[in-house]
Amino acid sequence: MNAAKNNMRGLTVFISDIRNAQSKEGEEKRVTKEMAHIRKEFREAKNVDGYQRRKYVCKLLYIYILGYDIDFGHMEAVTLLSSIKFQEKAIGYLALGVLLHESHELIPLIINSLQEDLQSRLDYFQCLALGAIANIGGKEMAESLAPLVQKLLVANTSPPHIKKRAAQALLRLYRKYPGILSADTWADKVLAILDDTDVGVLTSVCSLLLGVVQEEPAAWAAVVPRVVNTLARVVIGREYAKDYVYYSIPAPWLQVALLKILRNYPPPESSAVSTRLAEVLMVVFNSAESAKAGSVNHKNALNAILFEAIHLVIHYEGSSGPYQGMLKQAAALLGRFISAKETNIRYLGLDSMRHLASLSSETASMVKKYQDTVVISLRDADISIRRRALDLLYSMCDHSSSKTIVGELLTYLVTADYQIREELVLKIAALAEKFASNYAWYVDVILQLISTAGDHVSDQIWHRVIKIVTNHEDIQEYAARTVFAALGSSSCHEATVKVGGYILGEFGHLIAEQPGSGPMDQFRVLHAKFPTVGLTTRAMLLTTYAKIVNLYPELTAPVQDVFRQHQSFIDAEIQQRACEYYHLSSGNETLMQAVLDVIPAWNEKQESGPGAGAGVGVGVGIGGDTPDMKSKGTRGIRSPSLTSASEDLLGLNMGSALNASPNGVSAGYGAGPAYGAGAGGYNGAPAHPPSDGSDPFGLAVNTLTAPLALPAGTSSLGAPGVPSASNPFGLQGAGVNVGTGSIGGGAQPNNAGLLDMLGGGAPQGTSSGSF
């Protein structure tokens, strides 16, 4: 009879029925029927004894594990906790551990039962309660039960199996409520347990100490000599029970936990403790040879200890003492690991070697000999291995190996997976700029990068190329020649067209005298790409054409044809540029030269680059410098600045504009990936309508801070012009102040002296700039 009750035949039959169900609907039908039966039995609780309650709770647990919601039966599990029978109490704790969480409303109801079981004289009741605490935890349990758990942990009368469970329960409570384990009160008592001879107790207490020292390392600094002593007892003294030898490795989990604890502290200050630790590490390193011939389990256990020892030595890098020579030994072990057949070992080896290489130039030189092996790992079948190999190559790169590593990465980029290409492009660009021996090589690398993986090249990268070329006259001719050749390819990427449009617009004259790269050749090669690129790039090319016409008037006719064709283009940006540039190229040459002047170099100390500064707008905006946009044109809107290292991985921060030049002409790059001529401002004050009604539109502008030469008949005060047959809107002759425009170039209702697309009037004050 007792055996039948212990077997719970009804539970066995129910599980068999569920497994034999022919369909999901059949299973649901059986579960629904059983839940209705259990609900009825619990409602009529007069006939439910301990055995039946235990059986029904087990069925509910099985149903819950199958994925069905359980909204009753919790109180029956709580009732089982008060039983004096181990089987019933165990099922009660098991059910509550599965069904409850730390914030459940029934937690207060079970705390009293937990307290009674923790204070019980029966070990197995204490074990059940400790297991439930470790499983559920929570602040409410910590406040009520922590003293009892602490007492069981440090009591000399507690058997090992109680101490092990108490340590795990206390770790759970500490993570939820750190205040329960004050170092001043409990450090000495807990650390004394490290002198215990039971390896199971030591392993459990080390897990507790690891969680504590990660949160409060300074308060628990006394743990270091104790941990070193325990390590020496196990590794050198071989003081351990045979039950804890795992494939000839003594207590591997204990060794790993002890080494992890030491990584939270600097090297021991005591010479005796430091020497003792060095001896332990040497024994661990010397045991590495046995991993070659052992079984898989032996290798795994030994390698786990070796990796922790290597991490500890890397952590001690730069410290004086007996650990200096161990770095080379650690590098040699990692070199063996990255060539292992097991994927997990290779992964851990590459990751640890990356950490070692990033410490200093000395440690980076230690791993250089393994560069070929790392390059081979780039082509591993596992993408996680490829990512770690890429990180390692990035960390080990220096001036002497930069060209080789960048070349290997560019070769790998051709066949690299799309999941890794964006990261790969960023790293290549960063290495090329950081270790560039000459900027010509840097330009070649970035252009090859764009050609190979242009879709993954961010705007910041090609903006950076433009900035470097602009700021270094010695590579401007080379850059112009290189991009001109790249544009000749039928498959060049749109980013190449953007770079080529800017560089040829600014520096194309440097190669204009060379055979095959004259002004007309440059115009033709750029315009051949015009129909195939996006709207933003087309707008940029229109500005390039205007720049070319400014230098070579003989190209006015073909370029004006392009402008004329796009004066009615559906895109407002392209339409406005085409109209402005058409009228500008038909007007005053002096004005055109002022507007389309060469962009000056950026101030390296300021945020600058494409994406900052003045916009395309031949018309002059009314308004002065703003604090955060000192040289903004009538259409230029500065791109957001990158503000942190995580947002700007390559240091390509390019947010702000150039300062306005003293003569009222400013230059810069506007938001977005296009550039062009634009009106910038220099201290031009905004106009306001006077109260007397004489200037209702605020067209009269204030005093010009940096006056320009004005054509005859214009008003120095910026008074409205007089309408005439040639100037029907009275726009010519007004508005001589130079300032930042509010939104865009061209005629605006609140600005006088703007180049109007309808009236064709010419502005009187302009400045050069770029979108």
Side-chain angles (χ1 to χ4, degrees):
M1 184 68 179
N2 290 334
K5 285 190 175 184
N6 288 335
N7 292 332
M8 292 188 290
R9 183 174 179 274
L11 175 63
T12 304
V13 172
F14 173 65
I15 294 175
S16 178
D17 291 345
I18 294 295
R19 290 179 175 178
N20 294 330
Q22 299 298 315
S23 63
K24 182 67 176 177
E25 291 76 13
E27 176 188 302
E28 292 177 353
K29 183 178 180 180
R30 181 68 179 89
V31 168
T32 302
K33 178 181 178 181
E34 189 64 34
M35 290 180 67
H37 172 69
I38 296 173
R39 194 189 301 270
K40 179 181 178 182
E41 292 294 326
F42 283 163
R43 191 181 297 118
E44 301 172 0
K46 298 178 181 178
N47 300 324
V48 178
D49 57 14
Y51 164 74
Q52 291 177 317
R53 182 175 286 110
R54 176 164 61 98
K55 179 179 65 175
Y56 293 146
V57 169
C58 285
K59 288 183 179 181
L60 290 176
L61 271 179
Y62 184 70
I63 294 172
Y64 179 79
I65 293 173
L66 289 176
Y68 297 91
D69 292 332
I70 300 298
D71 57 358
F72 69 98
H74 298 74
M75 285 303 302
E76 305 301 325
V78 173
T79 303
L80 288 175
L81 299 185
S82 59
S83 173
I84 60 173
K85 296 182 178 180
F86 175 79
Q87 295 92 336
E88 296 176 6
K89 187 182 289 288
I91 294 299
Y93 276 121
L94 176 63
L96 294 176
V98 173
L99 299 176
L100 303 189
H101 53 80
E102 61 184 77
S103 302
H104 199 279
E105 59 185 6
L106 291 180
I107 294 296
L109 298 180
I110 68 173
I111 286 180
N112 186 56
S113 297
L114 289 169
Q115 289 175 334
E116 292 180 357
D117 288 336
L118 288 175
Q119 295 173 342
S120 172
R121 293 184 179 181
L122 300 176
D123 292 354
Y124 43 86
F125 282 8
Q126 292 177 339
C127 288
L128 290 175
L130 290 171
I133 294 171
N135 193 30
I136 302 174
K139 185 175 180 179
E140 192 170 359
M141 281 190 176
E143 293 173 342
S144 303
L145 305 175
L148 295 175
V149 178
Q150 292 164 347
K151 181 179 178 181
L152 290 175
L153 175 63
V154 301
N156 294 328
T157 57
S158 296
H161 60 275
I162 295 296
K163 287 188 176 183
K164 289 190 288 186
R165 288 170 173 78
Q168 297 305 308
L170 193 58
L171 175 59
R172 172 63 183 248
L173 297 179
Y174 176 82
R175 287 172 174 168
K176 299 298 180 181
Y177 189 48
I180 64 171
L181 202 60
S182 171
D184 296 336
T185 305
W186 291 100
D188 293 338
K189 297 178 181 179
V190 174
L191 295 180
I193 304 176
L194 290 177
D195 295 330
D196 199 300
T197 57
D198 189 285
V199 176
V201 173
L202 292 176
T203 304
S204 298
V205 172
C206 282
S207 298
L208 171 62
L209 289 174
L210 184 59
V212 171
V213 300
Q214 287 175 343
E215 299 294 330
E216 303 175 90
W220 293 79
V223 73
V224 174
R226 296 265 193 173
V227 167
V228 173
N229 181 58
T230 304
L231 262 177
R233 283 165 45 201
V234 174
V235 177
I236 299 176
R238 298 191 173 275
E239 298 178 14
Y240 49 82
K242 293 182 179 180
D243 294 339
Y244 291 95
V245 177
Y246 180 80
Y247 287 90
S248 304
I249 306 296
W253 292 276
L254 175 59
Q255 293 188 51
V256 168
L258 292 170
L259 291 169
K260 281 186 176 180
I261 292 173
L262 291 177
R263 284 170 56 193
N264 291 276
Y265 296 95
E269 297 179 358
S270 170
S271 59
V273 175
S274 185
T275 302
R276 191 67 167 164
L277 177 58
E279 293 175 359
V280 172
L281 293 175
M282 287 302 299
V283 171
V284 172
F285 284 160
N286 292 335
S287 65
E289 294 299 324
S290 65
K292 295 181 179 180
S295 63
V296 174
N297 291 327
H298 174 83
K299 291 179 180 179
N300 289 339
L302 182 57
N303 287 335
I305 300 171
L306 283 172
F307 274 113
E308 286 303 326
I310 290 171
H311 290 161
L312 182 61
V313 171
I314 294 174
H315 175 69
Y316 287 166
E317 190 272 336
S319 61
S320 58
Y323 314 104
Q324 289 291 335
M326 294 185 182
L327 276 175
K328 292 184 178 180
Q329 196 169 357
L333 284 173
L334 291 176
R336 196 182 78 191
F337 288 146
I338 65 175
S339 302
K341 294 181 179 179
E342 297 86 351
T343 301
N344 291 337
I345 299 299
R346 290 203 310 277
Y347 179 93
L348 293 172
L350 290 168
D351 189 58
S352 300
M353 187 173 283
R354 177 201 59 80
H355 186 36
L356 177 63
S358 63
L359 294 178
S360 64
S361 58
E362 181 181 356
T363 56
S365 63
M366 294 180 185
V367 301
K368 272 187 180 181
K369 65 176 74 174
Y370 307 108
Q371 180 175 313
D372 293 340
T373 305
V374 179
V375 170
I376 294 174
S377 297
L378 282 175
R379 293 165 178 82
D380 194 272
D382 192 324
I383 190 172
S384 61
I385 298 294
R386 299 197 295 271
R387 288 186 183 277
R388 296 290 77 79
L390 176 59
D391 292 340
L392 176 53
L393 281 175
Y394 182 79
S395 298
M396 68 195 304
C397 186
D398 57 15
H399 285 284
S400 61
S401 60
S402 58
K403 290 189 176 182
T404 303
I405 290 179
V406 169
E408 291 287 353
L409 293 180
L410 285 171
T411 302
Y412 171 61
L413 181 61
V414 177
T415 57
D417 295 330
Y418 283 97
Q419 307 98 295
I420 202 175
R421 278 199 171 193
E422 185 173 355
E423 181 183 359
L424 183 56
V425 165
L426 284 173
K427 284 182 164 57
I428 292 174
L431 292 176
E433 181 173 351
K434 182 178 181 180
F435 299 111
S437 56
N438 60 80
Y439 284 114
W441 174 75
Y442 171 72
V443 170
D444 290 338
V445 169
I446 300 303
L447 288 178
Q448 185 177 350
L449 199 63
I450 295 173
S451 174
T452 305
D455 292 339
H456 301 275
V457 177
S458 64
D459 287 344
Q460 289 94 334
I461 294 177
W462 69 263
H463 288 173
R464 186 67 177 166
V465 177
I466 288 176
K467 176 179 176 181
I468 289 176
V469 172
T470 303
N471 285 7
H472 297 82
E473 295 183 2
D474 55 323
I475 63 166
Q476 291 172 358
E477 179 181 348
Y478 177 81
R481 187 168 59 252
T482 303
V483 296
F484 179 76
L487 288 170
S489 172
S490 59
S491 60
C492 71
H493 193 270
E494 185 170 343
T496 305
V497 180
K498 293 176 182 178
V499 176
Y502 175 91
I503 293 180
L504 292 181
E506 296 297 323
F507 313 115
H509 62 280
L510 298 177
I511 62 171
E513 303 299 327
Q514 299 177 11
S517 59
M520 179 55 76
D521 297 318
Q522 296 179 32
F523 171 72
R524 285 174 178 169
V525 76
L526 286 170
H527 198 56
K529 308 298 180 186
F530 193 89
T532 63
V533 296
L535 297 178
T536 303
T537 308
R538 293 187 192 185
M540 182 178 178
L541 289 179
L542 291 178
T543 304
T544 302
Y545 301 162
K547 291 262 185 175
I548 292 176
V549 169
N550 181 42
L551 293 176
Y552 304 101
E554 63 270 20
L555 297 182
T556 301
V559 170
Q560 281 192 337
D561 286 342
V562 177
F563 293 155
R564 192 180 300 108
Q565 293 170 11
H566 292 82
Q567 285 183 334
S568 301
F569 197 77
I570 189 171
D571 182 72
E573 174 72 16
I574 293 179
Q575 181 188 114
Q576 185 171 352
R577 291 195 187 204
C579 291
E580 290 177 352
Y581 291 147
Y582 179 79
H583 289 291
L584 184 64
S585 61
S586 304
N588 191 322
E589 290 187 8
T590 304
L591 177 63
M592 183 170 66
Q593 290 175 3
V595 173
L596 299 175
D597 197 7
V598 177
I599 303 300
W602 279 278
N603 187 341
E604 293 287 354
K605 296 181 180 179
Q606 295 180 351
E607 301 174 36
S608 57
V616 181
V618 180
V620 182
I622 305 300
D625 290 347
T626 59
D628 61 336
M629 300 178 73
K630 296 183 178 179
S631 176
K632 181 178 174 182
T634 57
R635 198 185 296 120
I637 301 176
R638 189 180 66 174
S639 62
S641 299
L642 300 176
T643 57
S644 69
S646 62
E647 294 170 326
D648 185 24
L649 300 178
L650 298 178
L652 302 176
N653 202 336
M654 305 176 182
S656 66
L658 296 173
N659 293 330
S661 57
N663 63 357
V665 178
S666 62
Y669 285 88
Y675 87 102
Y682 183 62
N683 295 336
H688 302 281
S691 59
D692 59 5
S694 59
D695 185 18
F697 295 98
L699 297 177
V701 294
N702 298 324
T703 304
L704 184 66
T705 303
L708 299 174
L710 304 177
T714 59
S715 169
S716 62
L717 295 178
V722 180
S724 64
S726 62
N727 185 23
F729 293 91
L731 294 176
Q732 186 175 8
V736 296
N737 195 18
V738 179
T740 58
S742 59
I743 298 177
Q748 299 188 27
N750 64 336
N751 291 343
L754 301 179
L755 177 63
D756 188 88
M757 282 185 262
L758 299 176
Q764 305 306 316
T766 60
S767 62
S768 67
S770 297
F771 186 121

